[in-house]
Amino acid sequence: MNKGKSVFVAITILLTILILQVACTRNFESINTNPYDVYDNELQGDFKLIGDPLVQSMLNVYVSNDVSVLQLQQNLMGDIFSGYMMTPSPFQDNRNNITYDLLDNWNDDAWLTAYGNVMPNCRFVMDKCRGKYPDFYAWAQIIRVLAMHRLSDIYGPVIYTHYAIINEDRSIDYDSQEQAYDAFFKDLDSAVTALTLYVPSATDNRFKKFDLSYNGDYVKWIKLANTLRLRLALRISNVNPSRARKEGEAAINQTYGLLSTSDENFNINISPVTHPLNVICNSWNDIRMGAPMESVLCGYHDPRLPYYFVPADTKDSIYHGIRNGITITSKDVYAGCSKLAWQPSRIQLCTAAEAWFLLAEAALYSWKGAGDAKENYEKGIYASFRQYNISSSRYEKYKNDDTLTAKPYSDPHNNLNNIPAGSPYLSKRTIKWVHNAPVHEKLERIITQKWIAVFPDGQEAWSEFRRTGYPKLFPVVVNNSGGKISSTLFIRRIPFIQFEYATNPAGVKRAVSKLKGDDNGGTRLWWDKE
């Protein structure tokens, strides 16, 4: 990470300039002629001038072309906080986000990327296509929601409906997370309505050449939007159950439904660029398997294990993960733990397996059209197995296992980091569905399997852990938060970035008032109900 620090600073400066440029467009309509504008006649033809900005937006939901940015945007946050991964590197003398000493220069890449490369591009397309090209407008809405709900799930309040609207005091207002989610639902509903009108006559697909995932398939984009809507509906189910039901049932019962088979997974093609995790893991040696993944996958004898990780650099060829938030004196100590298996050149952001697990949870709450929880749960496991071409016979054996549980964790270098049998942080939940089990046990099964299936998207896994408390993860051993973050309650969010405090102080002050507490990592988000 240190090698890319100068690049990171340069990128931050460029992104800052972009943000300021966007903020200065409030009086755009009052200017008679703008030599940098795009006019209607230029939008026609190959549609490149409105297609390329959406390509850039897709490539920055999860940054693929600058590994140092992605490392801070997600890898050293959600990927680790979710229990998926852990770094063997004692960055900043082991005082960093992993040990809850939240560093300002680690916290801003997610924010700056969203407002430098996603929001301005989506807004440009929406401004130019409103009332003229509803399909491009709808695609911009879906991409924007995909990116910005992830950002909101990191910080809480975000600048969404007030984007690029400058107040008289030069501040920009944040939406509370509740307001942002309301806008997300409305955008997804609008996008689905618009794209549905195209399906019967979608013979000349203008978006095909710009689509990095679905080759311009309108129906798959509709299914993705419905699945995102159900994801967000369940995200708010603890804090606003009536709105959650309304939005969830609308998604489930829409004409084209949800993602259902692995060929419908939303993967952004970044070829010929290699996946950033390959660089972080193999070139930089900055990431390894997380201890909870070792505990669950090895405990379950999970067939997906070799598709996620490789055996540790030991004679016994077994898998070893690293516990989060421990004392690390040197990078060499844990560098031999399990590396990630080689990731293909695509960014996985939503899968059919997740959709089935969302349906399984919706069925627990008897949402209309959700079907049977057990059937959906098992279809979720099946879809995840099919994603890796794991045989049906292995799937049958796995889903019917009622004895295997997460195994105790043993740190090969420091037994103070062990999670022994009987620990409250070690789940006793088996794989096989139990019809008469309490709802909380059924939910733990669903979320644990979804956690396995969503890998390697740690941002989504971290959000679901905060919402549900599942799967059971291991608390940090070293807590440098000064009491701001509870070790047993885990980190709940990331503070607002210093750039915002410097350039939008009044806006940030109002945003903080919309939190449940102080602007620190221990304050729960709106949907994160105790």
Side-chain angles (χ1 to χ4, degrees):
M1 186 182 72
N2 292 332
K3 294 179 180 179
K5 210 56 190 172
S6 61
V7 177
F8 163 73
V9 172
I11 291 172
T12 300
I13 293 171
L14 289 173
L15 291 176
T16 300
I17 294 171
L18 283 171
I19 293 169
L20 292 174
Q21 287 176 335
V22 172
C24 291
T25 61
R26 179 173 179 245
N27 297 318
F28 177 79
E29 298 301 331
S30 66
I31 302 174
N32 292 327
T33 302
N34 185 337
Y36 302 104
D37 197 10
V38 178
Y39 296 96
D40 291 349
N41 63 319
E42 297 177 88
L43 297 180
Q44 300 171 5
D46 61 7
F47 292 93
K48 186 176 178 65
L49 291 175
I50 53 175
D52 281 350
L54 293 184
V55 171
Q56 291 306 310
S57 293
M58 283 185 277
L59 290 174
N60 282 280
V61 174
Y62 179 107
V63 174
S64 58
N65 61 357
D66 191 320
V67 180
S68 63
V69 173
L70 181 278
Q71 187 178 34
L72 294 171
Q73 180 196 34
Q74 176 162 318
N75 187 240
L76 292 176
M77 288 204 295
D79 290 348
I80 289 178
F81 299 152
S82 66
Y84 279 168
M85 308 173 202
M86 175 54 185
T87 179
S89 303
F91 295 118
Q92 304 288 333
D93 294 325
N94 217 46
R95 297 190 66 94
N96 54 58
N97 287 29
I98 316 308
T99 57
Y100 293 171
D101 185 6
L102 304 186
L103 304 176
D104 292 336
N105 64 338
W106 280 33
N107 296 338
D108 53 8
D109 270 40
W111 186 276
L112 293 176
T113 298
Y115 291 109
N117 294 330
V118 178
M119 284 293 279
N121 286 321
C122 288
R123 181 175 183 264
F124 174 84
V125 173
M126 292 169 70
D127 283 348
K128 298 306 169 187
C129 296
R130 185 180 286 108
K132 300 168 187 171
Y133 306 109
D135 50 350
F136 277 93
Y137 188 94
W139 277 312
Q141 286 180 301
I142 295 171
I143 295 168
R144 188 172 71 160
V145 171
L146 177 65
M148 296 306 293
H149 97 73
R150 293 166 70 89
L151 192 76
S152 180
D153 293 344
I154 294 172
Y155 301 98
V158 289
I159 301 170
Y160 192 74
T161 64
H162 300 280
Y163 177 71
I165 300 175
I166 304 177
N167 299 317
E168 291 184 0
D169 65 354
R170 306 300 296 171
S171 68
I172 301 178
D173 287 322
Y174 287 59
D175 292 301
S176 69
Q177 191 170 47
E178 182 176 11
Q179 292 168 329
Y181 264 67
D182 176 68
F184 298 156
F185 288 129
K186 290 176 179 177
D187 277 354
L188 291 174
D189 182 70
S190 172
V192 167
T193 299
L195 290 181
T196 298
L197 296 176
Y198 275 84
V199 174
S201 59
T203 55
D204 182 19
N205 194 322
R206 298 176 298 217
F207 191 69
K208 183 176 182 178
K209 69 182 71 175
F210 310 108
D211 188 353
L212 300 179
S213 182
Y214 289 143
N215 199 32
D217 190 321
Y218 287 89
V219 171
K220 287 182 179 178
W221 276 97
I222 293 170
K223 289 185 174 183
L224 170 65
N226 288 331
T227 304
L228 288 176
R229 191 174 184 178
L230 181 56
R231 173 196 281 181
L232 300 186
L234 286 165
R235 187 69 40 82
I236 71 169
S237 59
N238 293 331
V239 69
N240 192 340
S242 60
R243 179 68 183 275
R245 177 185 287 271
K246 174 186 174 183
E247 298 296 340
E249 290 180 348
I252 293 167
N253 296 293
Q254 198 275 336
T255 303
Y256 296 101
L258 312 173
L259 304 177
S260 60
T261 56
S262 57
D263 63 301
E264 296 177 337
N265 290 352
F266 184 68
N267 298 315
I268 296 176
N269 180 11
I270 61 172
S271 181
V273 176
T274 188
H275 198 294
L277 289 177
N278 295 332
V279 177
I280 296 172
C281 181
N282 297 290
S283 299
W284 297 355
N285 286 312
D286 274 347
I287 206 70
R288 292 291 185 266
M289 179 190 213
M293 285 300 260
E294 175 195 334
S295 174
V296 174
L297 294 182
C298 293
Y300 282 168
H301 298 175
D302 200 299
R304 290 164 287 190
L305 179 56
Y307 296 94
Y308 291 3
F309 301 99
V310 300
D313 187 14
T314 58
K315 294 181 180 180
D316 51 12
S317 294
I318 62 175
Y319 294 86
H320 277 310
I322 311 172
R323 182 172 172 179
N324 293 354
I326 60 174
T327 298
I328 300 178
T329 56
S330 168
K331 188 173 187 175
D332 296 336
V333 176
Y334 289 95
C337 288
S338 291
K339 293 184 177 181
L340 277 64
W342 191 260
Q343 302 296 308
S345 292
R346 60 176 183 266
I347 305 301
Q348 175 187 294
L349 293 173
C350 194
T351 67
E354 180 191 348
W356 285 112
F357 291 124
L358 293 171
L359 270 177
E361 185 177 353
L364 286 184
Y365 312 141
S366 301
W367 287 4
K368 181 180 178 181
D372 180 72
K374 175 181 182 292
E375 181 180 351
N376 295 336
Y377 170 77
E378 293 179 348
K379 284 184 176 180
I381 298 174
Y382 182 76
S384 182
F385 273 43
R386 290 304 305 147
Q387 185 175 333
Y388 299 99
N389 295 314
I390 298 171
S391 69
S392 296
S393 60
R394 298 185 77 184
Y395 156 73
E396 291 291 337
K397 179 181 179 181
Y398 182 87
K399 73 160 185 171
N400 289 314
D401 192 287
D402 60 357
T403 59
L404 295 175
T405 61
K407 76 178 187 68
Y409 170 72
S410 179
D411 187 319
H413 303 287
N414 187 344
N415 59 16
L416 294 178
N417 301 325
N418 292 353
I419 300 291
S423 168
Y425 300 107
L426 198 65
S427 176
K428 299 178 181 178
R429 206 62 53 225
T430 55
I431 300 168
K432 185 177 180 179
W433 188 261
V434 178
H435 178 70
N436 295 322
V439 171
H440 74 272
E441 289 187 9
K442 292 178 179 179
L443 181 62
E444 183 177 1
R445 283 191 170 89
I446 292 169
I447 301 300
T448 299
Q449 285 298 323
K450 181 162 66 170
W451 178 76
I452 298 172
V454 167
F455 182 87
D457 186 5
Q459 175 54 46
E460 183 59 25
W462 177 39
S463 294
E464 285 295 84
F465 168 73
R466 286 175 288 164
R467 177 179 72 90
T468 66
Y470 301 125
K472 290 190 175 182
L473 301 180
F474 308 154
V476 298
V477 178
V478 180
N479 186 331
N480 290 319
S481 71
K484 295 178 181 178
I485 305 172
S486 166
S487 296
T488 55
L489 296 179
F490 299 82
I491 184 168
R492 313 311 294 188
R493 64 180 288 274
I494 293 296
F496 297 123
I497 70 172
Q498 290 304 303
F499 175 78
E500 278 292 293
Y501 273 102
T503 62
N504 186 23
V508 176
K509 183 177 180 180
R510 291 191 291 271
V512 172
S513 71
K514 297 175 181 179
L515 293 171
K516 294 180 180 178
D518 296 331
D519 183 20
N520 61 46
T523 295
R524 293 175 179 266
L525 300 180
W526 166 68
W527 49 253
D528 183 7
K529 187 176 180 180
E530 294 186 58

